[in-house]
Amino acid sequence: EHMDRIYNPLFWFWMLVAALLGSFVGIAAVTQLKLTSPLSHNVIGNAKGAAQSILGAYIWNTPLTSKGVTGLMTVLGGSLLYAYTRMGEQNNPAKGEKGSSGLKNKEGASC
């Protein structure tokens, strides 16, 4: 019954748009993993999901339970705390994370 839609050029246009957007999301994820840590990638993903849940509840006028709001605020609060901590480590490298061995090479970079 829906097979006639497969011959519609508009269907293929939107399929192409969706494929391109999906490819860009994949490229963004790979780039994010290269520039940050896997933990940062997961924290960002969880924060994005919480923000989407709040936005969806607002747009669709869906009531949130107190337990749901507590969970969403915990995720967003933890994500903000993580971002604040990471920014402090980047601004003050002496107190931040060292390389995997904790050693520095002769130029002072972490090993």
Side-chain angles (χ1 to χ4, degrees):
E1 87 189 47
H2 297 291
M3 287 301 293
D4 58 332
R5 293 184 185 182
I6 202 165
Y7 300 109
N8 186 342
L10 192 59
F11 169 80
W12 289 106
F13 170 77
W14 287 114
M15 287 291 286
L16 180 63
V17 168
L20 288 173
L21 289 175
S23 296
F24 291 144
V25 167
I27 291 168
V30 169
T31 303
Q32 182 185 30
L33 280 169
K34 284 183 177 181
L35 297 175
T36 64
S37 68
L39 177 59
S40 294
H41 180 74
N42 283 333
V43 169
I44 291 167
N46 286 326
K48 180 184 74 164
Q52 286 174 335
S53 296
I54 292 169
L55 187 61
Y58 175 75
I59 289 172
W60 302 109
N61 200 21
T62 304
L64 294 173
T65 64
S66 60
K67 188 189 280 188
V69 170
T70 301
L72 292 169
M73 292 301 116
T74 301
V75 169
L76 291 176
S79 299
L80 287 173
L81 184 60
Y82 177 79
Y84 177 77
T85 303
R86 291 293 294 171
M87 285 179 7
E89 289 175 354
Q90 290 175 353
N91 291 336
N92 191 356
K95 291 184 179 180
E97 279 183 20
K98 295 181 181 171
S100 59
S101 66
L103 302 173
K104 296 192 177 218
N105 63 16
K106 63 183 175 184
E107 288 85 21
S110 295
C111 299

